[in-house]
Amino acid sequence: MKAANPVSNPHSAAPAGDAAAVPHADMANAIRALAMDAVEAAKSGHPGMPMGMADVATVLFTRHLKFDPAHPDWPDRDRFVLSAGHGSMLLYALLYLTGYEDMTLEQLRDFRQLGARTAGHPEYGHATGIETTTGPLGQGLANAVGMALAERLLAERFGGAAVDHHTYVIAGDGCLMEGISHEAISFAGHLKLDRLIVLFDDNSISIDGPTDLSVTDDQLARFAASGWAVQAVDGHDPEAVDVAIAAAKAADKPSLIACKTTIAYGAPTKAGTSGAHGSPLGADEIAGAREALGWPHPPFEIPGDILAAWRAAGGRGAEPRAAWQTRIAALDAETRDTFERLQSGALPEGFAAAIEGVKRLAAEEKPKQATRVSSGNTLDALAEVMPELVGGSADLTGSNNTKAASEGVVAPGSFPLPAYVYYGVREHGMAAVMNGLALHKGVVPYGGTFLVFTDYARPSIRLSALMGLRVIYVMTHDSIGLGEDGPTHQPVEHLAALRAIPGLNVYRPADLSETAECWALALESADAPSVLALTRQGLPELRDAYTDENRCARGAYVLAEAEGSRAVTLLATGSEVEIAMAAREMLQAEGIGAAVVSMPCWELFAAQDAGYQAAVLGDEGGVRVAVEAAVEFGWERWIGPKGAFIGMRSFGASAPAGELYKHFGITAGAVVAAAKERLG
Ligand SMILES: Cc1ncc(C[n+]2csc(CCOP(=O)(O)OP(=O)(O)O)c2C)c(N)n1
């Protein structure tokens, strides 16, 4: 299916403002030329998608998008998400043309080179105006749902004078084929997130060829069935696109606009084919495209009048931004302070006292409590002082203990803060929506499911880490200790798999005190995601007394020092710290000095200096025994050459927890035996 080779763009309506003098086609062709030239210079990349969507993007950026390149972090800007991240040159061209200071022509020339802002796929934090990292298809679309949700939550709290913006997405066939798109659109439709507008690059091409090789969905019907307003337009007709976006803005539901486009629009032989996907067009094809498009200018050269028109489009936001600033200044001082604190991500004054209150209660009452319950108690205290909390669960609220008493339930037309979101059985969607919430800023998301189902959310957890987002994953039922639900529900390799993700802090607290401390650390990590691995089963409080210090902050610490000289160091996390404590008693009773080290967070411990690590782990030649109801993978790093590991070597089984621990040999007796064997 090959599109007609356009000799000139038949739709050459003029955009608004100073840009009026320059025909639309020239504006759009500037994007096309930069995309072709940058991909050619890099000798890799995707020119087809930016060339196909250039008309749609031109209409969006010159007529609708509310943004100010001089203030890229303006909180009330419209968000633009390029979910089809392989078309990164579309975004980079737009950022350059509209005048983002850090997106220079040099950067475009250095497309895909080491150290350039213009990475192969848009990377959050590499350049201003990149709202999220995209590339894994479907993620951006789901992030945008989170951004649109954050907008509604903050608008309800602070009013339309402070928060009133849209979230736009460009998504391709690939994004819509991914399973995550179903979770995201279903959730957005349910909540009637009417500030969300998806521009679907409906070009019927993906890498393997025409999309009908693998998909024949009626996308309009699919979105409509999920509660979206849907329209279909010719994506090369700027007036039609303009009218459709205006209608979408007026809709009381999220909107899908299917934009029929031709991939690599203008390329003489590759337009409309998957040949325009994933590799440079080549010199001849580019020359032909320049001719067909009526773009005689040399590579990377944008004529002054066209660039000026684009810069004028970029300048449209200055006035609305200044007006917004005036409105913010007019807010009462308390509202403004809270708004600004939330935007900055700073924790509130009452934060430390909330954590202290939980720790004092732990020391005084020493409750026997599952750490999932401890987490719920901590959240109750935190939500009293943190209106920015947006909690939730993927249909396991009662099991995850994720709903704090003061959190209001999010529903269509009701967006209270602090908020609680019933995400439904959508783990992957939940994680990506939480990334979007965090990216938007102003709210702090956390969400729960069973630890074993981090597998269902893993691609988004990885992106939380890659982007350095404060997203908190509350993952309960963290071992065979969950008991009767059996091996499908019992994580064994998940701690190791999560610890393997760079930049992700995996916490496994042992009691109420540690749970409160780990929550504090997760919230204090403004630029890192956290997983809290929590138990279903009850655990004793292990601390003797209240300490002001956050003992989990260094990742591992000596919970109980050996009496006499230390011959054995017992390392454990979470529910197995109790087992290590029992083993210590038994060893001490035999006159063997044993210390117990609680290791709630490997990542934080790995960041400590060698002196601290050595003091905690004990003499390198000494005997170390680690106990964790999970696979050994990774523990060799801590237990040293003479070390032993007591844990899982297979999947679990369905039985009461106590029996399972015995069956799999995760007992104080086994720890003692392993220690004595190594002592010789
Ligand atoms: C999760 C995921 N799977 C596979 C890829 C590799 N990939 C990049 S683009 C693409 C095809 C996308 O097709 P479409 O969205 O229609 O983009 P277009 O061909 O229109 O540019 C694929 C499979 C990816 N980036 N992410």
Side-chain angles (χ1 to χ4, degrees):
M1 51 167 299
K2 197 159 156 304
N5 176 22
V7 173
S8 68
N9 193 326
H11 313 288
S12 52
D18 284 354
V22 176
H24 165 89
D26 287 341
M27 303 285 280
N29 286 339
I31 297 173
R32 293 188 174 102
L34 289 173
M36 286 192 293
D37 294 341
V39 172
E40 192 66 17
K43 296 274 170 260
S44 78
H46 299 249
M49 183 275 186
M51 295 175 76
M53 281 300 274
D55 291 310
V56 173
T58 299
V59 173
L60 178 64
F61 273 69
T62 61
R63 306 189 198 186
H64 293 279
L65 196 75
K66 182 172 80 169
F67 69 113
D68 183 357
H71 296 272
D73 294 330
W74 172 21
D76 200 33
R77 69 192 181 281
D78 287 343
R79 304 304 196 264
F80 171 69
V81 173
L82 184 69
S83 190
H86 57 281
S88 55
M89 264 313 300
L90 177 72
L91 179 57
Y92 301 150
L94 287 162
L95 297 180
Y96 164 67
L97 290 167
T98 54
Y100 284 79
E101 213 171 276
D102 57 356
M103 191 54 73
T104 59
L105 211 45
E106 271 314 294
Q107 291 290 336
L108 302 191
R109 287 184 195 275
D110 277 355
F111 180 49
R112 292 181 157 239
Q113 304 311 306
L114 190 64
R117 296 181 187 282
T118 45
H121 295 85
E123 300 275 353
Y124 177 66
H126 284 211
T128 57
I130 299 175
E131 300 282 6
T132 179
T133 294
T134 53
L137 296 170
Q139 293 287 338
L141 173 60
N143 294 162
V145 173
M147 294 175 189
L149 173 57
E151 193 273 347
R152 288 292 82 198
L153 291 162
L154 293 165
E156 186 164 308
R157 173 86 181 197
F158 295 103
V163 183
D164 182 12
H165 58 263
H166 287 86
T167 301
Y168 294 94
V169 184
I170 286 183
D173 294 288
C175 291
L176 300 195
M177 278 192 258
E178 289 291 351
I180 193 172
S181 75
H182 176 72
E183 298 182 24
I185 69 169
S186 160
F187 180 69
H190 166 70
L191 288 181
K192 299 192 188 339
L193 296 177
D194 57 357
R195 304 307 182 88
L196 177 63
I197 298 173
V198 174
L199 300 155
F200 165 34
D201 179 15
D202 186 9
N203 63 15
S204 305
I205 290 289
S206 65
I207 290 180
D208 278 352
T211 48
D212 63 10
L213 286 171
S214 56
V215 63
T216 40
D217 294 354
D218 179 341
Q219 296 291 6
L220 292 185
R222 175 182 170 226
F223 276 74
S226 294
W228 288 55
V230 298
Q231 304 175 71
V233 297
D234 173 355
H236 298 299
D237 177 346
E239 296 315 316
V241 172
D242 183 32
V243 168
I245 295 176
K249 281 156 112 177
D252 59 0
K253 311 164 171 185
S255 278
L256 173 80
I257 305 174
C259 306
K260 213 19 147 186
T261 64
T262 301
I263 195 168
Y265 184 91
T269 69
K270 293 191 175 173
T273 75
S274 60
H277 205 308
S279 54
L281 293 178
D284 291 349
E285 189 77 4
I286 290 179
R290 279 190 144 75
E291 204 176 323
L293 294 168
W295 188 266
H297 319 293
F300 295 107
E301 262 190 51
I302 307 296
D305 59 331
I306 298 175
L307 188 60
W310 267 112
R311 293 288 152 94
R316 289 182 307 114
E319 206 180 298
R321 198 201 68 84
W324 174 85
Q325 196 79 59
T326 308
R327 293 196 300 276
I328 291 294
L331 293 174
D332 69 82
E334 199 190 325
T335 307
R336 190 177 55 244
D337 286 354
T338 307
F339 181 78
E340 282 168 358
R341 182 181 70 74
L342 264 54
Q343 289 301 324
S344 76
L347 294 168
E349 252 174 41
F351 172 74
I355 297 295
E356 181 186 328
V358 179
K359 284 176 64 180
R360 284 199 185 278
L361 183 133
E364 280 156 26
E365 296 185 8
K366 295 201 181 309
K368 180 166 169 100
Q369 198 170 71
T371 49
R372 63 180 171 137
V373 177
S374 304
S375 170
N377 292 343
T378 308
L379 277 169
D380 278 337
L382 289 169
E384 291 292 336
V385 296
M386 294 186 68
E388 63 267 46
L389 285 181
V390 179
S393 167
D395 202 41
L396 288 167
T397 296
S399 298
N400 301 148
N401 298 73
T402 31
K403 182 166 183 325
S406 61
E407 287 172 343
V409 172
V410 170
S414 177
F415 299 96
L417 278 176
Y420 194 75
V421 183
Y422 289 108
Y423 283 103
V425 193
R426 302 184 183 105
E427 296 83 5
H428 197 182
M430 173 176 75
V433 166
M434 291 201 291
N435 284 343
L437 288 165
L439 286 160
H440 181 280
K441 297 209 164 92
V443 294
V444 176
Y446 69 87
T449 181
F450 292 154
L451 182 63
V452 78
F453 300 135
T454 51
D455 284 342
Y456 273 50
R458 189 174 174 89
S460 302
I461 297 175
R462 182 174 192 270
L463 285 166
S464 309
L466 183 58
M467 290 191 269
L469 301 177
R470 179 169 53 185
V471 173
I472 301 169
Y473 295 92
V474 182
M475 300 289 138
T476 70
H477 297 60
D478 69 349
S479 74
I480 52 163
L482 68 85
E484 295 82 349
D485 272 347
T488 57
H489 282 51
Q490 292 161 353
V492 290
E493 76 280 27
H494 297 75
L495 290 169
L498 291 164
R499 287 169 179 153
I501 297 179
L504 175 68
N505 290 326
V506 181
Y507 295 96
R508 193 161 184 254
D511 60 12
L512 176 56
S513 296
E514 284 198 4
T515 304
E517 290 182 350
C518 291
W519 257 111
L521 294 165
L523 287 164
E524 284 162 1
S525 303
D527 53 7
S530 301
V531 170
L532 297 173
L534 304 169
T535 65
R536 173 183 184 235
Q537 73 274 29
L539 302 177
E541 177 65 26
L542 298 169
R543 297 260 178 100
D544 287 335
Y546 170 80
T547 72
D548 202 21
E549 180 197 351
N550 186 330
R551 300 193 75 190
C552 294
R554 303 182 87 174
Y557 63 98
V558 179
L559 175 66
E561 191 44 279
E563 285 162 26
S565 67
R566 196 201 285 195
V568 176
T569 302
L570 305 177
L571 308 172
T573 73
S575 40
E576 285 70 69
V577 180
E578 179 187 9
I579 292 172
M581 291 294 274
R584 175 181 175 276
E585 288 287 301
M586 291 160 71
L587 287 165
Q588 290 288 164
E590 295 187 42
I592 301 169
V596 171
V597 171
S598 179
M599 297 192 77
C601 182
W602 285 17
E603 294 77 17
L604 293 181
F605 186 58
Q608 302 305 311
D609 59 61
Y612 180 77
Q613 290 186 358
V616 169
L617 295 175
D619 181 3
E620 211 173 316
V623 169
R624 296 178 196 159
V625 182
V627 51
E628 182 170 69
V631 296
E632 182 173 1
F633 197 91
W635 272 102
E636 59 283 353
R637 178 177 184 187
W638 307 119
I639 57 180
K642 284 177 77 181
F645 176 77
I646 302 295
M648 296 297 291
R649 298 183 195 281
S650 66
F651 291 118
S654 171
E659 282 178 42
L660 289 174
Y661 272 88
K662 277 188 219 124
H663 176 76
F664 289 107
I666 305 174
T667 62
V671 173
V672 167
K676 284 167 66 176
E677 191 189 310
R678 274 158 185 77
L679 282 169

